[in-house]
Amino acid sequence: MATECVRRALLAERVPVAHVDGAVEYSWGWESVARVSEGTPGVIADKLGDLETRFDVGDGDVILQPNRKRTAEALLRVVTGDLFGEMKPPPYRAPHSVDVTQAGVFGMSADGTDLSFSLAELMGEIIARSGGGKSTIMRSLLDWTTAAHNATTVFLDPSGDGPGQFTDAVKLTTTGPIQIEFILLSLYRLAAGRARIRRKLGMGDAWKCTREHPAVIVFIDEFPKLTKRSKQIIAELMLVGRKEGVWLIFAAQGSTKELLGSNIAQHPALKIIGACRDVDTTGALGGGAADFGYLPHRLHPKSGKELNHCAQTYIVGAPGLSEDPMLHKWHYIPDDEGGRRAGERLAAGLVDVDQASVDAALKAPNPPGLKFADEEEEYLHYVPWPDLLAMVAEPDDYEDEPEDDDPADLPPILQAIRDAFVHEREPEYLTMDQLHGHLREDDPGQWAKWDDRDDRSRLRELGKALSRALRDAGVDLSSERITELGGQPRGYYFEAVQQALGEAE
């Protein structure tokens, strides 16, 4: 009966069905294989919402998983319970018990197997909206890297949240935008230096990560809030770090060029995509991703106490995982347990960068195309790894934050726009899309209510709401076309914001 129900539903939605295999019942619902007689199963992806109505299940509870090896075939899951209800708890990992080049277990896949893969020689990204589970995912990965005997963990977060309960287990962490620039520069030099000594150490074509010569794994949260210079260094680091044991994973709420400041979203090999917008699916995975069955934009982030699809993702480029577009759920590690594990690892001693790499970095080149302290009005200079630890311990010597005049009398909307420019290190302009990321984080109740719309509609509603708020506050500030960018998206120039600030004060 279930098999026939699936077949009739597909036919009713005008899907060219060739055959439907016998449906199998699980604790969470039903699973069946469908084959189309023409085209690809992408035609089913366009009908998932209508199929949910026909099956009388919730939004997002009909899941399509095309078979990459048989282009006419796809697995169809109809979820009536908890798809991940049988997920095992996160495994305990003693200090120095993990080899970071081996596969770790991070959760559960929709086919009931462990979510398991290796981070070795990977550059990665995590894309998910607020409530999509970015923090859960990053801390699941942190639990693995900080338990390793052959990895040093670095965590950079310009938003100010940091690694949370795993802070004690992270060798180097900071939230200062200028400190992050110094750290990234030092990490680039470290990777470039390793490239020069790798063969002398008998390692061959890639850095061999051992207790004596550990990998350096860098996590970066809220990538869009980095300074322009930090993003430039990261682009260079991603070119040289993979083979040299300096691996980077960054997180952001979206993958569009306007949000990230470049087309960097398609560069990393490892892509972890949770609840997001359709433009983010395309931005990270390219055009046609939905036709192949990658549908993270159909996932729903956490809302209040409702978890929805929080920490559920599609994953591309993870060694050993199925190439099919399967849904995965990540382990959640409670704060008290994470803090306990971090304390154990701190007591056992955190892994540090090897002296050979530190020495090699001293003679390594700086990344091309940047200005440094020996040039007029520049402050950035190379800081050796040991001194980075002192920098974080005494941040005042390296902070270069803009002076903050008392904003108490500013209209709240103007102050919010001003804060967005300050977080971005006062760029020449911010697009509406970039600004929306800051506004929704500060007040999601007011600014996140259009996230379910297409990109054009979302930005149109944002523009209207901003115009009303500025007009009601008596602020003379209007959005403009950003002529320096392709497509000339609307946004605000910093010069105009400064003028509005002066008039408001």
Side-chain angles (χ1 to χ4, degrees):
M1 288 177 65
T3 304
E4 182 64 9
C5 177
V6 171
R7 189 185 72 84
R8 292 189 183 191
L10 292 173
L11 288 173
E13 296 301 331
R14 301 182 183 276
V15 174
V17 179
H19 180 69
V20 175
D21 286 356
V24 179
E25 185 176 13
Y26 294 93
S27 61
W28 49 262
W30 296 85
E31 183 177 278
S32 182
V33 173
R35 281 183 286 277
V36 295
S37 58
E38 58 185 59
T40 70
V43 67
I44 303 177
D46 297 332
K47 304 291 186 179
L48 292 180
D50 295 324
L51 289 171
E52 287 161 356
T53 299
R54 291 190 179 275
F55 293 138
D56 192 21
V57 294
D59 190 10
D61 284 340
V62 177
I63 302 172
L64 182 72
Q65 182 182 312
N67 186 338
R68 298 296 293 272
K69 296 180 180 179
R70 300 189 65 181
T71 55
E73 184 177 282
L75 190 65
L76 197 66
R77 293 187 174 97
V78 182
V79 180
T80 58
D82 184 355
L83 181 60
F84 297 101
E86 298 179 5
M87 187 167 75
K88 302 172 185 176
Y92 170 73
R93 293 161 179 144
H96 302 164
S97 65
V98 163
D99 182 342
V100 78
T101 65
Q102 301 300 310
V105 176
F106 305 110
M108 177 182 173
S109 301
D111 62 358
T113 62
D114 287 336
L115 169 56
S116 177
F117 60 91
S118 169
L119 297 176
E121 296 190 33
L122 283 182
M123 300 291 185
E125 64 184 352
I126 303 167
I127 304 295
R129 293 165 53 183
S130 177
K134 293 190 304 298
S135 294
T136 296
I137 296 165
M138 294 189 82
R139 288 166 190 176
S140 181
L141 293 170
L142 279 171
D143 184 50
W144 176 252
T145 65
T146 58
H149 66 263
N150 56 347
T152 299
T153 302
V154 176
F155 196 101
L156 310 177
D157 182 4
S159 72
D161 295 332
Q165 66 266 42
F166 282 99
T167 298
D168 286 345
V170 175
K171 183 65 179 179
L172 181 62
T173 181
T174 187
T175 59
I178 300 304
Q179 287 184 339
I180 290 174
E181 290 185 2
F182 282 95
I183 292 170
L184 288 171
L185 173 60
S186 186
L187 290 171
Y188 175 88
R189 291 270 294 258
L190 192 75
R194 283 182 167 185
R196 298 184 171 194
I197 65 171
R198 174 172 22 95
R199 293 190 180 278
K200 295 178 182 178
L201 295 175
M203 294 184 179
D205 293 333
W207 190 263
K208 302 299 182 185
C209 303
T210 63
R211 290 179 184 269
E212 295 75 24
H213 303 288
V216 181
I217 304 181
V218 187
F219 294 92
I220 302 176
D221 202 359
E222 296 297 348
F223 181 93
K225 295 185 178 181
L226 293 173
T227 66
K228 181 179 179 180
R229 195 197 305 262
S230 287
K231 294 175 182 178
Q232 289 177 294
I233 300 173
I234 286 172
E236 297 293 339
L237 178 57
M238 293 182 75
L239 297 176
V240 300
R242 182 185 64 83
K243 292 177 63 176
E244 313 309 335
V246 182
W247 307 326
L248 184 149
I249 298 175
F250 69 83
Q253 293 193 25
S255 63
T256 60
K257 183 177 180 179
E258 289 77 15
L259 187 63
L260 298 183
S262 69
N263 61 353
I264 197 171
Q266 294 195 23
H267 289 185
L270 174 64
K271 303 175 190 297
I272 301 168
I273 317 295
C276 63
R277 304 165 299 165
D278 54 357
V279 293
D280 298 319
T281 300
T282 302
L285 303 178
D291 290 338
F292 285 118
Y294 294 103
L295 304 169
H297 49 279
R298 298 195 78 245
L299 302 176
H300 296 281
K302 180 181 178 183
S303 178
K305 295 183 179 180
E306 293 296 326
L307 292 178
N308 296 323
H309 300 113
C310 180
Q312 296 184 29
T313 67
Y314 290 85
I315 301 176
V316 176
L321 280 191
S322 169
E323 295 181 359
D324 295 337
M326 188 183 303
L327 198 59
H328 311 271
K329 185 171 183 178
W330 292 74
H331 282 139
Y332 170 71
I333 302 175
D335 285 355
D336 55 350
E337 175 61 17
R340 187 180 68 81
R341 296 185 185 196
E344 289 181 351
R345 293 162 194 179
L346 177 63
L350 303 184
V351 177
D352 203 354
V353 174
D354 57 290
Q355 190 61 45
S357 296
V358 173
D359 293 341
L362 292 172
K363 301 178 181 179
N366 287 320
L370 296 179
K371 294 182 178 180
F372 296 93
D374 56 349
E375 302 181 49
E376 186 177 357
E377 296 182 358
E378 292 295 335
Y379 55 86
L380 184 65
H381 60 274
Y382 171 65
V383 178
W385 175 263
D387 296 336
L388 289 177
L389 304 179
M391 174 200 297
V392 173
E394 300 177 6
D396 291 344
D397 292 339
Y398 292 87
E399 285 295 346
D400 188 31
E401 295 291 335
E403 293 183 6
D404 189 13
D405 297 329
D406 184 7
D409 295 332
L410 291 179
I413 184 59
L414 184 57
Q415 182 176 330
I417 295 174
R418 171 186 180 277
D419 289 346
F421 274 90
V422 170
H423 277 299
E424 294 287 347
R425 307 298 299 165
E426 299 184 353
E428 182 181 352
Y429 52 78
L430 285 178
T431 66
M432 298 294 276
D433 201 17
Q434 290 173 304
L435 182 60
H436 196 192
H438 292 278
L439 293 175
R440 68 159 66 91
E441 182 170 327
D442 292 338
D443 189 353
Q446 179 177 0
W447 300 107
K449 51 190 174 185
W450 312 292
D451 283 359
D452 58 344
R453 303 195 181 191
D454 64 85
D455 214 32
R456 180 175 295 180
S457 176
R458 174 179 63 86
L459 294 178
R460 183 175 61 248
E461 294 300 322
L462 170 65
K464 291 193 294 186
L466 277 170
S467 295
R468 286 194 301 269
L470 289 166
R471 184 178 63 249
D472 293 345
V475 177
D476 184 15
L477 177 64
S478 300
S479 64
E480 304 175 62
R481 292 287 180 183
I482 307 300
T483 57
E484 291 85 348
L485 296 177
Q488 297 188 3
R490 297 197 74 85
Y492 293 92
Y493 282 93
F494 185 49
E495 184 177 354
V497 173
Q498 284 182 306
Q499 183 177 345
L501 287 167
E503 294 172 356
E505 292 172 353

